[in-house]
Amino acid sequence: MTDPTLLPSFVTPHTASSILFIGRSLNQLRAKAVADHTLRGTDHLSSQLTKLSSLQHPLDSATFSAAIADIRLHLSRHTLQRLLPLPRVLDLLQLLRDFFLLRRGDFAIALTQTAGEKMASRWRRADNLAIYENRRESTGLGGVTLREGEIAAVLSKTWAAMGAMQGSQAYTDEDESVERARGLLKLSIVKNRPGTPASFTGGDGGILAAIASTPFKNLLFSVPVVLTMDVPSPLDLFLTPADLQVYSAVNAYLLSLRRAHIKLTELWKISALRRHHPAPPGPSDRNRGRTRLLRGRFDGRERVLRNVWATASAAIFFLGEVEAYLQTEVVDVLEEGFVRWVRGEETTSRPGTRATSPSLSRRGDPPEDGHDHDQDPTKFRDPQSLQTFHHLYLTRLTHSLLLTSPLFTDALYETLVHIDRLVALITRLHAVWAAADLEEDAGVVDAFVDLVKEERDVRGELDEVQKEVRRGVEGVVGVLRDMEGRFGAEGDEGEKEGGEDVVMRERGEYVPGRVGGVERLVMKLDF
C-alpha cells in the first residue's frame, strides 16, 4: 500500500500504484527464478531504467508517469506473460465463479446440508434441542461455539458429499475444478475484537467500505464464517486480499439466500406433515372408531399448518425470484462480459460488441516483441490492467447485487432469520406430534416432557413467525419499490456517459455492461 501524503508532487496515485506493482512483480520473478532457470535474468530492466535516469529535472507528472508506464508495459509484454499466463487467470476466474458466486449448485447444497448436520449434532450433544430450534436472535448468533477444526471438517465433508452426488460418472472438467478448489478454498471464522462491528476491511477501502455490514456470514453456523482461499503466487499479482474479501462478502450473501431456499424446500420432504392416508375402516366398530380418530387428528393438524404452508410457499417464490434475478441477470452477465474482455474477445459485457484495439490503456504502443497483438488479442493483457479492471468489475457487481444498499440487505437479513425460525419450528412441531402419537398409540411416555404444553408453545410461536415472514417479504419488496426510482435515475445518468464508454472500448479497456433492472424484479415479486 502507498500513503498518498508521502508521495512527491509529481507522482500521481496511479503512478505510485504502478511502481508498487513493478516492485512486487520483480520480487516474484527473483523468487521464482531460484527454482525455474528459464526465468533467470528476466528481471533486468536496464534499457528501461536508462530512460528513467535520462529524465530532466525538475520532473513533471506527465513525463514521469509515461516513463513508469513504459517500464510496466515492457515488463508485462516480455516477462509477466510467462509468469502469469492467461490460462491461469481464466482458471482462477472460473474457480471464483463456480464456488464464490455459486455457479455450482451442488456445492451450495452440500455445504448447507453438511453445516446443518454439524449444528444439529452439536446441539444434540448439548442436550439442548429445544433451544436449538429457537436459537436465532437478531444477531444471528447461537449459544454453541464451533472451533476452526470443526469448521474445516465441514468443508472436507462437503467435498466428499459433492463426490457422492456425482456417483460413478466419468471424470470430467468439473471434477478437476473440484480438486483445484479442494486445495485452495477454506472456511474461516471471522474474528472481530469485542465491541467492534463485524465488517470487512482491507486495502481497497472503496469497494469494501461500500458493502453493507449486514452479517450474512452469521447464518450458516452459530459463529460468523466466510469462504476464503489461499491465493498462490503469482496469482496474487492479479487477485489482491481486498478482492478476496469482496468475494467472501458476496459469497456469504448469495449463500444465505440459497441456504434459506434449500431449507424451505426440504420441508416438503417431510411427508408426514403434508399428507396422511388412514387405512379404510374394517368390518368392526373398533376399526371404524380408530379411523375416525386418526382422520380427526390429521384434519386438525392440516388446519394448523394451512397458513404455514401458504407462507412457506410465498417465501420460496420470493427467494426463487430474487436468486434468479441476481444470478442470471447480474452475475452471469457481468462475469461473462469480464471473461470475454480478459480473453480479448470483446471489451464490453454487451453481446455483439467487438474490441477494436485490445491493447492496454495506452493506445498506439508498437508491439515490442515483434508480434501484432492487435491481430492476436489473447497474446497480451497487462496484469496491472487486469487488476485495475477487475476492481471495476467487482464494483459494478456489488452495486448491481444490491449489496451496497443497507436498507435492502438489512430487511432481507431479518427475513432470512425469520425463515430460519419458521423452518426450525415446523421441524420441532413435527417432532412433538411424532412423540405425541407414540405416547397415545403405543404408550411410549417421556416423563420429562409435557407434550401438550410444548405443542401449545410451539404453535403460538409458529403463528407469530409465519406472520413475521410475510411482513418481512412485504418489507423487502417495499424497499425494492423505493429503490426502483433511484436505480432508474442512475440508469439515465449512465446513458449520458455513454460517450465515455465508447472511448474506453476503443482504447481496449473493460466497460461493465449495464445489467439488472430492479423494476423487473419488483414486477415479478409484486404478487
Side-chain angles (χ1 to χ4, degrees), residues 396 399 480-497 514-515 517-519:
R396 178 59 62 88
H399 178 73
L480 287 172
R481 281 200 200 96
D482 293 339
M483 294 169 60
E484 184 179 353
R486 187 164 68 254
F487 269 67
E490 291 177 1
D492 294 339
E493 183 180 348
E495 292 300 322
K496 296 175 184 178
E497 298 174 352
R514 305 197 178 280
V515 298
V518 178
E519 69 282 352

Short mmCIF file of all heavy atoms in Angstrom, two decimals, residues 396 399 480-497 514-515 517-519:
data_model
loop_
_atom_site.label_atom_id
_atom_site.label_comp_id
_atom_site.label_asym_id
_atom_site.label_seq_id
_atom_site.Cartn_x
_atom_site.Cartn_y
_atom_site.Cartn_z
N ARG A 396 -18.96 -2.86 -9.93
CA ARG A 396 -20.26 -2.96 -10.58
C ARG A 396 -21.04 -4.18 -10.07
O ARG A 396 -22.26 -4.13 -9.90
CB ARG A 396 -20.08 -3.04 -12.09
CG ARG A 396 -21.39 -3.21 -12.88
CD ARG A 396 -22.36 -2.04 -12.63
NE ARG A 396 -21.82 -0.79 -13.05
CZ ARG A 396 -21.94 -0.31 -14.28
NH1 ARG A 396 -22.58 -1.00 -15.20
NH2 ARG A 396 -21.42 0.87 -14.57
N HIS A 399 -22.56 -3.47 -6.59
CA HIS A 399 -23.63 -2.49 -6.71
C HIS A 399 -24.87 -3.12 -7.34
O HIS A 399 -25.99 -2.93 -6.85
CB HIS A 399 -23.15 -1.31 -7.56
CG HIS A 399 -24.20 -0.26 -7.78
ND1 HIS A 399 -24.61 0.60 -6.79
CD2 HIS A 399 -24.93 0.06 -8.87
CE1 HIS A 399 -25.55 1.41 -7.26
NE2 HIS A 399 -25.77 1.09 -8.52
N LEU A 480 -37.51 -2.51 -2.28
CA LEU A 480 -37.17 -2.57 -3.71
C LEU A 480 -37.99 -1.56 -4.50
O LEU A 480 -37.48 -0.95 -5.46
CB LEU A 480 -37.42 -3.99 -4.24
CG LEU A 480 -36.41 -5.05 -3.79
CD1 LEU A 480 -36.88 -6.44 -4.22
CD2 LEU A 480 -35.03 -4.77 -4.36
N ARG A 481 -39.25 -1.38 -4.14
CA ARG A 481 -40.07 -0.38 -4.84
C ARG A 481 -39.49 1.01 -4.65
O ARG A 481 -39.45 1.81 -5.58
CB ARG A 481 -41.51 -0.41 -4.30
CG ARG A 481 -42.34 -1.55 -4.84
CD ARG A 481 -43.82 -1.26 -4.67
NE ARG A 481 -44.60 -2.49 -4.73
CZ ARG A 481 -45.00 -3.17 -3.68
NH1 ARG A 481 -44.70 -2.75 -2.47
NH2 ARG A 481 -45.70 -4.28 -3.83
N ASP A 482 -39.05 1.30 -3.41
CA ASP A 482 -38.45 2.61 -3.15
C ASP A 482 -37.15 2.79 -3.93
O ASP A 482 -36.82 3.90 -4.36
CB ASP A 482 -38.17 2.77 -1.66
CG ASP A 482 -39.46 2.83 -0.84
OD1 ASP A 482 -40.52 3.14 -1.42
OD2 ASP A 482 -39.40 2.54 0.38
N MET A 483 -36.42 1.69 -4.12
CA MET A 483 -35.15 1.77 -4.84
C MET A 483 -35.36 1.88 -6.35
O MET A 483 -34.47 2.33 -7.06
CB MET A 483 -34.30 0.52 -4.55
CG MET A 483 -33.84 0.38 -3.12
SD MET A 483 -33.14 -1.26 -2.80
CE MET A 483 -31.79 -1.28 -3.97
N GLU A 484 -36.53 1.45 -6.81
CA GLU A 484 -36.78 1.38 -8.25
C GLU A 484 -36.57 2.73 -8.93
O GLU A 484 -35.89 2.84 -9.95
CB GLU A 484 -38.20 0.87 -8.50
CG GLU A 484 -38.54 0.67 -9.95
CD GLU A 484 -39.96 0.14 -10.11
OE1 GLU A 484 -40.59 -0.18 -9.08
OE2 GLU A 484 -40.43 0.07 -11.25
N GLY A 485 -37.14 3.77 -8.37
CA GLY A 485 -36.98 5.10 -8.96
C GLY A 485 -35.55 5.58 -8.92
O GLY A 485 -35.05 6.17 -9.88
N ARG A 486 -34.86 5.28 -7.81
CA ARG A 486 -33.48 5.74 -7.69
C ARG A 486 -32.58 5.04 -8.68
O ARG A 486 -31.73 5.66 -9.31
CB ARG A 486 -32.99 5.50 -6.26
CG ARG A 486 -31.63 6.09 -5.98
CD ARG A 486 -31.34 6.16 -4.50
NE ARG A 486 -31.19 4.86 -3.89
CZ ARG A 486 -32.09 4.28 -3.10
NH1 ARG A 486 -33.23 4.88 -2.86
NH2 ARG A 486 -31.87 3.08 -2.58
N PHE A 487 -32.74 3.73 -8.86
CA PHE A 487 -31.93 3.00 -9.82
C PHE A 487 -32.25 3.43 -11.24
O PHE A 487 -31.39 3.46 -12.10
CB PHE A 487 -32.17 1.49 -9.66
CG PHE A 487 -31.22 0.84 -8.71
CD1 PHE A 487 -31.27 1.13 -7.35
CD2 PHE A 487 -30.27 -0.03 -9.15
CE1 PHE A 487 -30.40 0.55 -6.46
CE2 PHE A 487 -29.38 -0.63 -8.28
CZ PHE A 487 -29.45 -0.34 -6.93
N GLY A 488 -33.51 3.78 -11.49
CA GLY A 488 -33.86 4.28 -12.81
C GLY A 488 -33.15 5.57 -13.12
O GLY A 488 -32.65 5.79 -14.23
N ALA A 489 -33.05 6.45 -12.11
CA ALA A 489 -32.35 7.72 -12.31
C ALA A 489 -30.87 7.48 -12.60
O ALA A 489 -30.26 8.12 -13.44
CB ALA A 489 -32.53 8.60 -11.07
N GLU A 490 -30.29 6.48 -11.87
CA GLU A 490 -28.88 6.18 -12.11
C GLU A 490 -28.68 5.63 -13.52
O GLU A 490 -27.68 5.92 -14.18
CB GLU A 490 -28.40 5.16 -11.08
CG GLU A 490 -28.33 5.75 -9.68
CD GLU A 490 -27.93 4.70 -8.66
OE1 GLU A 490 -27.70 3.55 -9.06
OE2 GLU A 490 -27.84 5.04 -7.48
N GLY A 491 -29.64 4.85 -14.00
CA GLY A 491 -29.53 4.33 -15.35
C GLY A 491 -29.56 5.45 -16.37
O GLY A 491 -28.81 5.45 -17.34
N ASP A 492 -30.43 6.46 -16.17
CA ASP A 492 -30.47 7.59 -17.09
C ASP A 492 -29.13 8.32 -17.10
O ASP A 492 -28.63 8.72 -18.14
CB ASP A 492 -31.59 8.56 -16.68
CG ASP A 492 -32.97 7.91 -16.83
OD1 ASP A 492 -33.06 6.94 -17.60
OD2 ASP A 492 -33.92 8.37 -16.19
N GLU A 493 -28.57 8.46 -15.90
CA GLU A 493 -27.27 9.14 -15.82
C GLU A 493 -26.21 8.36 -16.58
O GLU A 493 -25.36 8.92 -17.24
CB GLU A 493 -26.87 9.29 -14.35
CG GLU A 493 -25.57 10.04 -14.15
CD GLU A 493 -25.23 10.16 -12.69
OE1 GLU A 493 -26.10 9.87 -11.85
OE2 GLU A 493 -24.10 10.56 -12.40
N GLY A 494 -26.30 7.00 -16.46
CA GLY A 494 -25.33 6.17 -17.17
C GLY A 494 -25.43 6.34 -18.66
O GLY A 494 -24.43 6.32 -19.36
N GLU A 495 -26.66 6.49 -19.19
CA GLU A 495 -26.78 6.66 -20.63
C GLU A 495 -26.10 7.94 -21.10
O GLU A 495 -25.58 8.02 -22.18
CB GLU A 495 -28.27 6.68 -21.01
CG GLU A 495 -28.97 5.34 -20.81
CD GLU A 495 -28.35 4.25 -21.64
OE1 GLU A 495 -27.97 4.54 -22.79
OE2 GLU A 495 -28.25 3.11 -21.17
N LYS A 496 -26.11 8.98 -20.26
CA LYS A 496 -25.47 10.23 -20.64
C LYS A 496 -23.96 10.05 -20.73
O LYS A 496 -23.28 10.79 -21.42
CB LYS A 496 -25.81 11.32 -19.61
CG LYS A 496 -27.30 11.68 -19.56
CD LYS A 496 -27.57 12.67 -18.46
CE LYS A 496 -29.07 12.99 -18.32
NZ LYS A 496 -29.36 13.91 -17.22
N GLU A 497 -23.41 9.07 -20.00
CA GLU A 497 -21.98 8.84 -20.01
C GLU A 497 -21.57 7.82 -21.07
O GLU A 497 -20.47 7.31 -21.07
CB GLU A 497 -21.54 8.35 -18.62
CG GLU A 497 -21.80 9.37 -17.53
CD GLU A 497 -21.50 8.82 -16.15
OE1 GLU A 497 -21.24 7.62 -16.03
OE2 GLU A 497 -21.52 9.61 -15.19
N ARG A 514 -24.41 -2.69 -18.55
CA ARG A 514 -25.47 -2.16 -17.70
C ARG A 514 -26.48 -3.28 -17.52
O ARG A 514 -27.25 -3.59 -18.42
CB ARG A 514 -26.10 -0.93 -18.33
CG ARG A 514 -25.03 0.12 -18.63
CD ARG A 514 -25.60 1.51 -18.86
NE ARG A 514 -24.50 2.44 -19.08
CZ ARG A 514 -23.76 2.97 -18.13
NH1 ARG A 514 -24.01 2.68 -16.87
NH2 ARG A 514 -22.78 3.80 -18.42
N VAL A 515 -26.44 -3.91 -16.34
CA VAL A 515 -27.20 -5.13 -16.11
C VAL A 515 -28.30 -4.87 -15.09
O VAL A 515 -28.42 -3.79 -14.50
CB VAL A 515 -26.29 -6.25 -15.59
CG1 VAL A 515 -25.23 -6.59 -16.60
CG2 VAL A 515 -25.64 -5.85 -14.27
N GLY A 517 -31.87 -4.36 -13.35
CA GLY A 517 -33.09 -3.62 -13.57
C GLY A 517 -34.06 -3.95 -12.46
O GLY A 517 -34.82 -4.94 -12.56
N VAL A 518 -34.01 -3.19 -11.36
CA VAL A 518 -34.80 -3.52 -10.19
C VAL A 518 -36.29 -3.55 -10.52
O VAL A 518 -37.06 -4.29 -9.92
CB VAL A 518 -34.51 -2.52 -9.05
CG1 VAL A 518 -35.36 -2.80 -7.83
CG2 VAL A 518 -33.04 -2.56 -8.68
N GLU A 519 -36.69 -2.75 -11.52
CA GLU A 519 -38.12 -2.71 -11.85
C GLU A 519 -38.62 -4.07 -12.32
O GLU A 519 -39.77 -4.45 -12.04
CB GLU A 519 -38.39 -1.63 -12.91
CG GLU A 519 -37.85 -1.90 -14.31
CD GLU A 519 -36.36 -1.65 -14.43
OE1 GLU A 519 -35.77 -1.11 -13.46
OE2 GLU A 519 -35.79 -2.00 -15.48
#
